[in-house]
């Protein structure tokens, strides 16, 4: 077990300098998700303008949960909703891989930094918190 695997530099960077943090003034959907096992909390705003997603979030929690929200929001902002689905699926598959996958950088970009987290079952929910919130919000916004 190597802590290096858990706290990649890109994760710490996003934790210290989160992107798209701050709730949107106008949004189509708002969801609030918690990860009770760690105490992470996240509010996610989702807006769809001319077919492009705009994400905003706020939350408190561990470095992994907050960095994951930051990376996800920067990855999905500007994408179309259908374009976001394979990215979400790829991240969930990566988290379920128990360290066996390193992730497709072309699809996941900075989110491949979480590959190591998939070896730590207690932390997988931290990494997935924002993505599950997005999954929920994206289902609601399609309605
Ligand atoms: Zn956490």
């Amino acid at each position: 077990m190597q802590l290096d695997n858990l706290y990649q530099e890109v994760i710490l960077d996003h934790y210290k300098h989160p992107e798209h943090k701050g709730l949107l003034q106008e949004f189509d959907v708002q969801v609030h998700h918690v990860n009770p096992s760690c105490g992470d909390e996240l509010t996610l705003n989702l807006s769809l303008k001319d077919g492009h997603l705009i994400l905003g979030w706020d939350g408190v929690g561990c470095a992994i949960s907050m960095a994951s929200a930051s990376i996800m929001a920067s990855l999905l902002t500007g994408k179309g909703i259908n374009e976001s689905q394979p990215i979400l699926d790829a991240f969930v598959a990566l988290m379920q891989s128990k360290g066996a996958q390193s992730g497709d950088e072309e699809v996941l970009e900075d989110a491949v930094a979480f590959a190591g987290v998939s070896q730590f079952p207690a932390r997988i929910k931290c990494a997935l918190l924002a993505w599950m919130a997005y999954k929920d919000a994206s289902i609601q916004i399609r309605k």
Side-chain angles (χ1 to χ4, degrees), residues 35 38 40 61-62 65 123 126:
N35 170 23
C38 180
D40 310 315
C62 67
S65 65
R123 310 313 299 277
C126 300

Side-chain angles (χ1 to χ4, degrees), residues 74-133:
S74 49
L75 199 54
L76 299 185
T77 292
K79 297 269 193 320
I81 194 152
N82 292 332
E83 241 180 315
S84 75
Q85 192 64 44
I87 302 172
L88 172 65
D89 293 343
F91 191 79
V92 172
L94 180 62
M95 285 301 104
Q96 290 169 344
S97 75
K98 299 189 170 81
Q101 282 186 29
S102 55
D104 183 347
E105 211 168 341
E106 273 186 36
V107 178
L108 289 170
E109 300 180 25
D110 277 356
V112 296
F114 293 94
V117 174
S118 71
Q119 299 168 56
F120 302 88
R123 310 313 299 277
I124 292 172
K125 283 185 183 164
C126 300
L128 279 175
L129 176 66
W131 297 79
M132 291 300 103

